[in-house]
Amino acid sequence: MSTRSPQRAGPSAPVRAPRRRADRDRRGFTAAFAVLALALALVAVVLASTATGAVDLSPLDAARLLLGHLVPGMPWMTDGTYTVLQDQAVWGFRLPRALLAALAGASLALAGALMQAVVHNPLAEPYVLGVSSGAGVGAVLVVVGGAVGGLSLSTAAFAGAATATAAVYLLARRNGRIAPQRLILAGVALGALFSAITSYLTLTTEAQNVFSVMFFLLGSVSAATMDSLLAPALALLVALIVVGANVRGINALLVGDEAAASLGVSVDRLRTVLLLVSALLVGAVVSVSGSIGFVGLIIPHIARILVGTDHRIMLPVSVLGGAVFLTAADLMARTVAAPVEIPIGILTAVIGAPFFLWLLRRDRASTVGMDR
């Protein structure tokens, strides 16, 4: 009669669970630290932006002036300490500009992260859809002679973005479903077509219109007012609500369509919703700030490097990171070559392109991809 020696439990079973808990705790701490650090950085860069310009003011004085406007019953904040010129410069010009840059950066970063989840391609970003090119056509038509039935420039730009989105959406559908590959190809083709139309309109317009057209196409928040914050703020609020309700489905898309469907996710419906939300964000931003590239491409990559691919954590980090990045870029655009202002789209390309190339050359390819 043979006796079987008792099996010894391997060390992996009891050790694996605590190790996973430790990993989750570490990721949670990193995410909380990243959100807090980015929130503080956003406040700091907004204060720096409101304090910087031809009318000198320290960040502390700018903060006191802003609090005097925002908090009723605090007259000691502004009782004769500041001149009318300082008050107008900070409250009337610099604050709306900084807030618009923050809203635009947050919206573009969120749209980029959603687009990359939709097509499961880390190189995707909102402008691949041709949305910005469509908005550019609408804006240029207004600049060259009010050719869009008397619409304002921002309204025409938004209409152009909506038209481009609808065209891409229809071309990407096959047998009632959205094909990610067709989505990218349709966006590239339509973007090239809209860019050709914009170039033709620019070349055939009067000389005095060319600068306005180019400045819009390169991106700028210099014309920001409190009223211009409404459209991107509402678009971002709607997007955050929709994304918050579908974040588990977005995570499921990372493992593939079949696996996501097996988890109860309506893949085609979710992909359509995310595409429309991305178009809403980009259209709202382009309509008030022009074409600004690379934010939606670079910021989601940085967020994944910091906190991983869980969209419950990565999306808030992307939103805050985009806001900080574009607000800082706008501050640089105003100061690097002062008194000449550089279009913000030039700076985002100068910063974003080398950074993206550096990401591509990193040894760990997974830090660039979606499968961390």
Side-chain angles (χ1 to χ4, degrees), residues 151-166:
L151 296 178
S152 66
L153 188 145
S154 60
T155 305
F158 190 85
T163 301
T165 301

Side-chain angles (χ1 to χ4, degrees), residues 182-234:
R182 290 171 63 93
L183 189 70
I184 293 179
L185 293 175
V188 170
L190 286 176
L193 175 61
F194 290 137
S195 296
I197 295 173
T198 301
S199 298
Y200 173 78
L201 293 173
T202 304
L203 290 172
T204 56
T205 189
E206 298 178 358
Q208 63 266 25
N209 294 330
V210 174
F211 181 79
S212 298
V213 171
M214 295 304 298
F215 205 77
F216 178 85
L217 294 178
L218 292 172
S220 174
V221 292
S222 60
T225 63
M226 288 298 184
D227 292 337
S228 65
L229 302 178
L230 182 61
L234 287 177

Side-chain angles (χ1 to χ4, degrees), residues 207-295:
Q208 63 266 25
N209 294 330
V210 174
F211 181 79
S212 298
V213 171
M214 295 304 298
F215 205 77
F216 178 85
L217 294 178
L218 292 172
S220 174
V221 292
S222 60
T225 63
M226 288 298 184
D227 292 337
S228 65
L229 302 178
L230 182 61
L234 287 177
L236 182 59
L237 177 61
V238 170
L240 290 175
I241 293 174
V242 173
V243 169
N246 293 279
V247 68
R248 292 185 180 274
I250 299 173
N251 275 339
L253 288 179
L254 296 179
V255 298
D257 290 0
E258 293 183 1
S262 68
L263 295 174
V265 177
S266 178
V267 175
D268 292 329
R269 173 189 166 277
L270 179 59
R271 187 169 278 131
T272 300
V273 169
L274 296 181
L275 174 62
L276 293 177
V277 167
S278 299
L280 173 66
L281 290 169
V282 177
V285 169
V286 172
S287 68
V288 293
S289 63
S291 300
I292 302 173
F294 276 101
V295 180

Side-chain angles (χ1 to χ4, degrees), residues 21-355:
R21 286 195 297 269
D23 290 341
R24 286 196 299 268
D25 292 342
R26 184 168 58 252
R27 287 196 297 269
F29 175 79
T30 302
F33 177 79
V35 169
L36 178 60
L38 287 171
L40 294 175
L42 180 59
V43 173
V45 75
V46 168
L47 287 178
S49 182
T50 56
T52 304
V55 179
D56 290 331
L57 208 63
S58 70
L60 179 59
D61 287 335
R64 291 181 58 197
L65 194 153
L66 293 176
L67 285 174
H69 280 278
L70 295 173
V71 183
M74 299 180 68
W76 55 274
M77 286 288 182
T78 56
D79 54 353
T81 307
Y82 311 106
T83 66
V84 175
L85 183 60
Q86 289 174 326
D87 182 83
Q88 186 178 16
V90 172
W91 183 257
F93 296 103
R94 297 177 190 170
L95 180 63
R97 178 170 184 158
L99 293 179
L100 182 56
L103 285 172
S107 299
L108 292 174
L110 178 58
L114 295 179
M115 278 302 307
Q116 290 165 16
V118 165
V119 302
H120 206 266
N121 187 334
L123 300 181
E125 58 122 1
Y127 290 85
V128 162
L129 290 179
V131 177
S132 63
S133 299
V137 171
V140 171
L141 285 173
V142 171
V143 172
V144 300
V148 198
L151 296 178
S152 66
L153 188 145
S154 60
T155 305
F158 190 85
T163 301
T165 301
V168 171
Y169 177 80
L170 293 175
L171 290 172
R173 291 183 67 86
R174 184 176 184 179
N175 299 325
R177 303 178 63 182
I178 297 177
Q181 295 82 3
R182 290 171 63 93
L183 189 70
I184 293 179
L185 293 175
V188 170
L190 286 176
L193 175 61
F194 290 137
S195 296
I197 295 173
T198 301
S199 298
Y200 173 78
L201 293 173
T202 304
L203 290 172
T204 56
T205 189
E206 298 178 358
Q208 63 266 25
N209 294 330
V210 174
F211 181 79
S212 298
V213 171
M214 295 304 298
F215 205 77
F216 178 85
L217 294 178
L218 292 172
S220 174
V221 292
S222 60
T225 63
M226 288 298 184
D227 292 337
S228 65
L229 302 178
L230 182 61
L234 287 177
L236 182 59
L237 177 61
V238 170
L240 290 175
I241 293 174
V242 173
V243 169
N246 293 279
V247 68
R248 292 185 180 274
I250 299 173
N251 275 339
L253 288 179
L254 296 179
V255 298
D257 290 0
E258 293 183 1
S262 68
L263 295 174
V265 177
S266 178
V267 175
D268 292 329
R269 173 189 166 277
L270 179 59
R271 187 169 278 131
T272 300
V273 169
L274 296 181
L275 174 62
L276 293 177
V277 167
S278 299
L280 173 66
L281 290 169
V282 177
V285 169
V286 172
S287 68
V288 293
S289 63
S291 300
I292 302 173
F294 276 101
V295 180
L297 184 64
I298 296 300
I299 299 300
H301 283 297
I302 299 176
R304 290 189 194 96
I305 292 173
L306 291 175
V307 298
T309 57
D310 187 348
H311 286 83
R312 293 173 298 180
I313 301 171
M314 191 272 284
L315 290 179
V317 172
S318 294
V319 169
L320 287 172
V324 172
F325 173 73
L326 203 60
T327 307
D330 177 59
L331 178 58
M332 290 179 60
R334 293 196 287 121
T335 57
V336 167
V340 177
E341 180 175 324
I342 301 173
I344 194 171
I346 294 178
L347 277 182
T348 56
V350 169
I351 297 171
F355 184 82

